[in-house]
Amino acid sequence: MTIDSLEQQIAPLREAMLQAVDAYWPNRMDMHRGELIEAFRKLCIRIGQQQSSGQKAPIAYIHFSFLRTWLLQDRVIYSIEAYDDRWYVDRNECLELLELPWLYPLLQSFKQDLGHALFRQVPDTEIDAIVLREFTVLHQYIREWIRSLVPELIALPEFLAIERADVLRIRAGEFKDFSEQLWMEDCTDRQAAELKSWLEEKRSSDCMNSDLRGLDLSGGQYEGIDLRYSHCSGGDFSGSNFQGSICVGTDFSGSKLTGADFSQSLLYDANFSGCDLSSAKLAEAVGGARFFHEGMVLGFYGIDFSNANLQGANLLFADLAGAEFQGANLSGALILKQDALQWNLSEEQRRSITWMEEDESGVPVPVQVQLRE
């Protein structure tokens, strides 16, 4: 069987598994949040015990890792490991296990369907290899579930009591293999001016997952920067140019972003709650409905503009379907008439918006929109 014909067999089964796990997101997964939090709490207790006995240095890495060997034994188990700044060279084992039995039926169904589709076409060992490879379809949801719970995890008294390195990273992925960063706590002495110059260099993926909380980085030329999943809450980015940037999952909550330019930027899952975005530009920004492509997902939560000040902001041609606008000030914001019913807005917000429509030459001009009384 050729690679192309094999992929043709796998693709619809992958899509079925994707739709099945998507039905779990997020409410059915959150029913099990207590299990994850408890496992993390136990890990922190274990870390504290080892540090008290001198067996563990300050923690620099915490990993959530799926275990392939258990997948082949019909169990979905993640290990949560703690390492010092030597990372995998740290041989003082410190881990807890987290089993997710409620997810295994989805993988089991995929495996059974795969066995039927490829019966006598590939050996069983190849089917096992495909199952292990395709587990990433489920893992991406688990990864985002963990990411959503990180604020609660790092607020636990047991976590706050452990000794942490100046830079702590929380990651998720395969055990001692590829992983992605979910959180970074950077307690090093950081100078805003130096960080601003570094960010303006826009070195490929260097800026991803950065800890930029509470800093004055206003007036920056950050065009095209990749700040995905960075933590920028409580900062000052007023007057900054983020045009064409990647801010997927970036947390700007509570930041000053007056006059900032996010035109043509990727904003899936960005958090702008409580931000001052007055006179900001978000024209042609993209971050609307969840996007699926070959088993991968972009846009798990939607953009959050709750309680943000968007007075006078330019949102023309922006794809913000599904964004949260509860409590947001949209007075004088420029929005296309065609989006009037696609966005979740209150009647008060609709009345305060400056609705626009393209004229014959394609130029947006103000227009009246009939609203319910």
Side-chain angles (χ1 to χ4, degrees):
M1 177 175 288
T2 66
I3 294 177
D4 288 342
S5 61
L6 180 62
E7 174 57 26
Q8 289 176 3
Q9 297 268 30
I10 296 173
L13 305 180
R14 178 194 300 126
E15 180 65 23
M17 181 168 62
L18 176 63
Q19 294 303 321
V21 69
D22 194 65
Y24 272 70
W25 178 265
N27 295 333
R28 292 177 70 181
M29 294 184 76
D30 277 347
M31 291 171 58
H32 301 276
R33 58 197 295 275
E35 301 163 20
L36 190 152
I37 293 172
E38 179 61 16
F40 189 84
R41 187 185 71 83
K42 288 181 177 179
L43 175 72
C44 292
I45 293 174
R46 188 180 298 276
I47 293 171
Q49 292 171 342
Q50 291 191 5
Q51 288 181 335
S52 296
S53 62
Q55 300 177 54
K56 203 72 173 174
I59 301 303
Y61 297 92
I62 294 178
H63 275 238
F64 289 81
S65 308
F66 65 85
L67 305 176
R68 289 178 177 264
T69 52
W70 284 109
L71 290 176
L72 294 177
Q73 298 177 52
D74 299 344
R75 298 174 71 180
V76 178
I77 297 180
Y78 276 68
S79 65
I80 316 176
E81 318 114 45
Y83 303 98
D84 61 26
D85 59 7
R86 294 173 296 171
W87 206 349
Y88 293 140
V89 180
D90 178 5
R91 299 304 183 187
N92 295 316
E93 184 179 272
C94 185
L95 63 81
E96 285 291 329
L97 296 180
L98 171 66
E99 185 162 10
L100 307 175
W102 41 275
L103 268 183
Y104 187 73
L106 304 182
L107 191 64
Q108 187 179 46
S109 178
F110 172 78
K111 184 176 181 179
Q112 290 173 346
D113 292 342
L114 191 64
H116 293 315
L118 300 179
F119 183 63
R120 292 184 177 177
Q121 297 183 64
V122 298
D124 290 345
T125 53
E126 178 65 18
I127 290 178
D128 286 341
I130 294 170
V131 170
L132 292 177
R133 185 178 71 237
E134 298 298 330
F135 180 74
T136 55
V137 172
L138 296 182
H139 169 71
Q140 64 185 323
Y141 282 86
I142 299 169
R143 178 196 67 211
E144 295 306 314
W145 179 51
I146 296 170
R147 192 195 305 275
S148 72
L149 292 176
V150 165
E152 293 184 59
L153 300 180
I154 63 176
L156 290 173
E158 293 83 0
F159 173 81
L160 297 173
I162 67 174
E163 295 180 52
R164 307 189 295 277
D166 288 340
V167 178
L168 169 69
R169 295 175 171 87
I170 298 179
R171 304 179 64 88
E174 185 181 354
F175 184 68
K176 294 189 177 179
D177 204 315
F178 176 77
S179 63
E180 298 172 77
Q181 190 161 293
L182 307 184
W183 171 265
M184 182 174 76
E185 177 185 70
D186 188 345
C187 296
T188 58
D189 184 19
R190 302 174 296 166
Q191 300 299 318
E194 294 178 5
L195 277 174
K196 183 177 178 181
S197 297
W198 173 67
L199 290 171
E200 289 181 330
E201 292 177 8
K202 300 181 280 285
R203 299 177 183 172
S204 60
S205 61
D206 287 357
C207 303
M208 293 165 48
N209 301 288
S210 297
D211 183 358
L212 304 172
R213 291 172 292 172
L215 297 172
D216 183 353
L217 299 168
S218 57
Q221 295 303 312
Y222 310 130
E223 183 178 1
I225 196 171
D226 189 343
L227 277 180
R228 74 184 75 182
Y229 300 114
S230 290
H231 308 287
C232 307
S233 59
D236 185 351
F237 297 89
S238 55
S240 294
N241 179 12
F242 290 97
Q243 188 173 8
S245 63
I246 301 175
C247 293
V248 174
T250 307
D251 180 9
F252 287 104
S253 60
S255 291
K256 185 177 181 181
L257 293 161
T258 53
D261 188 352
F262 287 94
S263 301
Q264 300 178 334
S265 295
L266 280 178
L267 303 179
Y268 285 99
D269 294 338
N271 184 354
F272 292 104
S273 62
C275 285
D276 185 353
L277 283 155
S278 54
S279 301
K281 300 175 183 177
L282 292 94
E284 300 181 31
V286 178
R290 196 173 305 164
F291 178 72
F292 300 90
H293 179 67
E294 296 184 352
M296 295 295 103
V297 182
L298 187 61
F300 286 87
Y301 315 100
I303 306 174
D304 188 354
F305 289 109
S306 60
N307 300 310
N309 179 14
L310 288 153
Q311 183 173 3
N314 183 347
L315 286 80
L316 295 172
F317 304 102
D319 175 13
L320 303 177
E324 176 60 71
F325 287 101
Q326 184 174 4
N329 176 12
L330 290 163
S331 177
L334 306 180
I335 301 177
L336 286 180
K337 176 184 176 181
Q338 66 193 44
D339 295 320
L341 298 178
Q342 297 180 23
W343 296 4
N344 185 21
L345 305 171
S346 68
E347 288 303 306
E348 181 180 355
Q349 288 171 328
R350 295 177 191 277
R351 295 178 190 282
S352 68
I353 289 168
T354 299
W355 296 104
M356 309 287 283
E357 190 173 54
E358 293 179 85
D359 63 15
E360 294 179 355
S361 60
V363 177
V365 295
V367 65
Q368 293 296 317
V369 174
Q370 187 66 37
L371 299 170
R372 296 191 299 269
E373 294 296 335

